[in-house]
Amino acid sequence: MSRAEADIPVATAFSAQALRAQFPALDQQVNGKPLAYLDNAATTQKPRAVIDRISDYYARDNANVHRAIHELSRRATEAYEGARDTLARFIGAGRREEIVFTRGTTDAINLVAQGYLAPRLKAGDEIVVSEIEHHSNIVPWQMLCESHGAILRVAPVDDRGVLDLAALQRLIGPRTVMVAVGQVSNALGTVHPVQQIIDMAHAADVPVLVDGAQSVSHLPVDVSTLNADFFCFSAHKMFGPTGTGVLYGREALLDSMSPVQGGGDMIETVSFQGSTWNSLPYKFEAGTPNIAGVIGMGAATEFLEGLDLEAVYRHEHALAERAEAGMRAIPGLRIIGEAPGKTGIISFVMQTAHAQDVGTILDQMGVATRTGHHCAMPAMARFGVPATTRASFACYNTEADVDALLAGLDKVSSLLG
Ligand code: PMP
């Protein structure tokens, strides 16, 4: 394969190389080769600051939050609630009460489905999603539609994976009660024009949920400027721990919602005559939360605040362009999803090799990618493929990772071509 096309310089002052030193997991050999970690859309690696913050919490401050007055509980509560302030600042939320801690994006979307929409939903109402959503932004709505006799409407994408905005506009009608879209597609890297989508939906008085799982660590997000009604994301895709995430909701909407889980911490009073709910955001945080996870998510957010996310976006996009230029020279390789301005996500199929085999050979070369349907089976169906191999970049990836990917694909071609 000719490398000429791959020799596009990544024109950015952003120093991924310097960042790598903060991520211990990146510094290892896999199958005798330096690790090229290109599975960031599934989960990102963690910087030392996040690992240390979690370990320090368990080593020194471990206690339950909110209900005790002893020193350790005070420290735990301060760190846990401090993370809420950090998260609110990071995404531009007007008030800290608008940040609800969840188990992740999936949990947050289900909370909106069950707590916001379920009590209001009537037979014949319509929920609008795009054709390339993650299953967690399809199935919770589908379940509601089944239980309430509502209808899921699907806005199509074109052959590049770009959303058909005119079709979306036509789908928003008098029966629409929610528009739910991802800001960035995990399967294709398409960046949906969420600002336009929100403006369009609001013109019809329809609230919008934005799934930000693939955006918050790859481009700047400000929920107040966007005027999003709900915005969800997961810590583990933004350099934080698994099992924790955020539901941002506009205060008035969160206030109008019913709690979905009952238990400790979410109540104000309990008697056998009935219970009353705690104030926001606690009415949605029943039980002992993932304290260490939230504190770790706070540390991850501080890490992100230290980055220029515009530069991160340009860096990842440039890496993807460099990789795609090299990939286009490989016979029989088809890139799935070529939306202009997409993030650093490349899905592809090879004529002569099953995605699983591509991923296995790449792994032998130390290159970590993901194969399968990426929890986006309708997106796969749209492009007529059962599965793809996906390489996804983060701020710490370099040209060396791209070159390792291209060398790995050369190997696939020579073995299976
Ligand atoms: N939405 C998108 C766009 C995603 O990429 C993912 C994770 N792959 C999710 C939702 C679900 O996130 P989680 O599994 O962390 O709940």
Side-chain angles (χ1 to χ4, degrees):
M1 178 187 70
S2 153
R3 280 278 173 278
E5 286 168 84
D7 284 338
I8 297 168
V10 175
T12 164
F14 179 79
S15 178
Q17 196 56 47
L19 281 179
R20 293 179 74 81
Q22 298 183 42
F23 289 82
L26 295 177
D27 184 21
Q28 61 177 301
Q29 304 251 317
V30 169
N31 295 322
K33 302 278 186 337
L35 169 65
Y37 187 78
L38 299 179
D39 194 18
N40 295 286
T43 200
T44 54
Q45 297 302 337
K46 319 306 172 199
R48 179 60 71 191
V50 169
I51 299 166
D52 287 350
R53 188 78 66 88
I54 293 170
S55 143
D56 287 351
Y57 162 74
Y58 277 127
R60 280 203 323 257
D61 304 329
N62 175 58
N64 211 330
V65 289
H66 297 152
R67 287 179 294 275
I69 51 162
H70 62 81
E71 170 63 13
L72 267 56
S73 177
R74 194 194 56 70
R75 281 190 229 148
T77 305
E78 198 173 285
Y80 179 82
E81 291 301 331
R84 202 184 304 275
D85 294 325
T86 307
L87 263 307
R89 184 176 66 225
F90 177 59
I91 61 164
R95 309 199 52 191
R96 69 190 307 281
E97 291 78 6
E98 295 177 323
I99 302 293
V100 177
F101 292 135
T102 66
R103 288 191 295 124
T105 310
T106 306
D107 195 34
I109 297 173
N110 277 279
L111 175 53
V112 175
Q114 295 303 325
Y116 176 78
L117 212 47
R120 299 167 163 75
L121 198 62
K122 296 187 286 299
D125 282 351
E126 298 179 357
I127 301 164
V128 178
V129 297
S130 92
E131 195 173 18
I132 55 172
E133 295 307 312
H134 188 277
H135 294 165
S136 65
N137 198 25
I138 297 174
V139 182
W141 310 119
Q142 213 165 35
M143 289 162 75
L144 269 190
C145 288
E146 271 171 29
S147 58
H148 288 68
I151 300 156
L152 193 65
R153 297 273 184 221
V154 183
V157 298
D158 69 15
D159 290 342
R160 299 166 302 163
V162 175
L163 183 66
D164 183 341
L165 267 185
L168 177 76
Q169 174 79 80
R170 285 193 297 276
L171 288 177
I172 299 173
R175 298 308 306 263
T176 312
V177 289
M178 177 69 78
V179 172
V181 285
Q183 187 163 17
V184 172
S185 153
N186 70 308
L188 310 180
T190 301
V191 183
H192 282 325
V194 285
Q195 184 72 75
Q196 268 173 282
I197 294 170
I198 290 169
D199 292 347
M200 203 181 257
H202 283 180
D205 249 349
V206 174
V208 180
L209 176 141
V210 178
D211 168 356
Q214 295 293 343
S215 61
V216 281
S217 65
H218 302 285
L219 42 91
V221 169
D222 186 296
V223 292
S224 299
T225 310
L226 279 177
N227 204 10
D229 300 288
F230 297 106
F231 190 94
C232 319
F233 52 101
S234 302
H236 71 97
K237 293 182 199 285
M238 48 176 275
F239 314 112
T242 51
T244 187
V246 166
L247 167 65
Y248 158 84
R250 280 201 293 113
E251 190 179 17
L253 294 182
L254 291 178
D255 255 336
S256 75
M257 275 168 65
S258 321
V260 170
Q261 290 202 317
D265 238 23
M266 54 73 70
I267 50 82
E268 188 178 56
T269 61
V270 176
S271 77
F272 286 113
Q273 282 66 53
S275 303
T276 57
W277 311 143
N278 203 340
S279 55
L280 289 179
Y282 306 108
K283 90 173 165 178
F284 300 113
E285 294 180 5
T288 299
N290 183 351
I291 302 166
V294 165
I295 291 171
M297 174 162 59
T301 309
E302 286 167 24
F303 167 80
L304 278 169
E305 285 185 315
L307 301 179
D308 172 355
L309 282 167
E310 293 274 6
V312 167
Y313 168 77
R314 286 196 302 274
H315 170 73
E316 294 173 9
H317 180 75
L319 287 178
E321 286 204 324
R322 178 184 170 91
E324 288 189 358
M327 290 162 79
R328 283 197 188 95
I330 300 175
L333 188 149
R334 175 182 162 211
I335 294 168
I336 307 286
E338 299 189 88
K342 72 177 193 169
T343 60
I345 290 178
I346 308 170
S347 256
F348 62 95
V349 291
M350 292 179 83
Q351 215 162 39
T352 52
H354 190 277
Q356 205 71 25
D357 298 330
V358 176
T360 304
I361 294 169
L362 289 174
D363 179 52
Q364 283 162 8
M365 303 282 288
V367 181
T369 57
R370 184 145 300 247
T371 59
H373 53 62
H374 316 295
C375 295
M377 288 172 103
M380 299 292 111
R382 165 65 181 81
F383 289 90
V385 294
T388 69
T389 305
R390 180 186 69 189
S392 52
F393 298 96
C395 57
Y396 44 58
N397 288 120
T398 63
E399 294 174 33
D401 294 325
V402 173
D403 294 344
L405 172 67
L406 294 176
L409 292 174
D410 268 350
K411 176 101 178 201
V412 175
S413 279
S414 68
L415 289 175
L416 303 172

